[in-house]
Amino acid sequence: MVSTRNPSGLSQIVLNNTISALGGLQGYLSWIISVRNEYLKRKNALVLALQHSEAVKKGWAYVNDAECGMFVTFVVNADHVDDKHEFMMNEFRLATAQTGVLTVSGGNLSISDVAKKERANFVRISLASAPDLKTLEEAAKRLSDAVVLLHKDE
């Protein structure tokens, strides 16, 4: 056979040991629920901070409120830029550096150059590594400040 139809033995051992270390299946399920609740709390704090930010209130950006996962998508409107997304996201990246946060354009997630140019006006924000809710709220403020910098002449 060219491939196996069975799960990896190593991954089975890791999962089994994890379940055992957490007190069996009930402990494992409790742990999963606690992780989910923590991500939900972080996501809600970040989305709320972004929704109340100056950039979103003025319609210069918006936030996609994810139903699940570890990422929130922050979209920067490119209507004011003739060359649209690619140029604007380069300007946004520079503006975020000025406000003290580093971003990677959503275009870097695309496998197609066409999609990159047409829909690259976003960044994904990870909820996983933030040490606390204040850090996420500060990130939201800095992202908003970067968008405001893009509109400083208006």
Side-chain angles (χ1 to χ4, degrees):
M1 295 183 74
V2 178
S3 67
T4 180
R5 294 177 189 250
N6 299 318
S8 158
L10 179 61
S11 64
Q12 287 180 341
I13 291 170
V14 169
L15 181 59
N16 182 64
N17 289 348
T18 300
I19 291 172
S20 294
L22 292 170
L25 188 56
Q26 195 57 44
Y28 179 68
L29 293 175
S30 295
W31 174 75
I32 288 175
I33 291 169
S34 70
V35 170
R36 180 233 180 245
N37 289 340
E38 178 63 25
Y39 283 154
L40 179 63
K41 183 172 65 172
R42 291 172 183 220
K43 190 262 315 180
N44 288 342
L46 178 61
V47 168
L48 188 65
L50 287 168
Q51 288 173 337
H52 288 100
S53 70
E54 183 179 355
V56 171
K57 285 181 180 177
K58 292 191 174 187
W60 296 336
Y62 63 93
V63 58
N64 286 334
D65 189 354
E67 291 184 28
C68 61
M70 299 182 288
F71 299 97
V72 169
T73 304
F74 183 67
V75 183
V76 182
N77 284 331
D79 297 336
H80 71 287
V81 180
D82 293 333
D83 195 10
K84 294 277 180 182
H85 307 306
E86 197 169 6
F87 172 78
M88 190 266 312
M89 288 308 287
N90 284 332
E91 294 295 311
F92 179 66
R93 187 176 47 80
L94 294 172
T96 58
Q98 290 177 355
T99 62
V101 64
L102 298 177
T103 60
V104 176
S105 170
N108 291 345
L109 302 172
S110 176
I111 59 170
S112 162
D113 287 339
V114 173
K116 182 185 281 193
K117 289 182 180 178
E118 292 175 358
R119 296 185 300 260
N121 58 322
F122 70 93
V123 293
R124 281 189 340 166
I125 307 164
S126 172
L127 308 168
S129 62
D132 54 38
L133 299 182
K134 289 185 191 267
T135 302
L136 290 169
E137 291 164 353
E138 180 63 24
K141 180 188 177 315
R142 291 179 186 201
L143 286 169
S144 176
D145 290 348
V147 174
V148 170
L149 278 175
L150 292 177
H151 293 272
K152 66 181 176 210
D153 296 331
E154 294 179 17

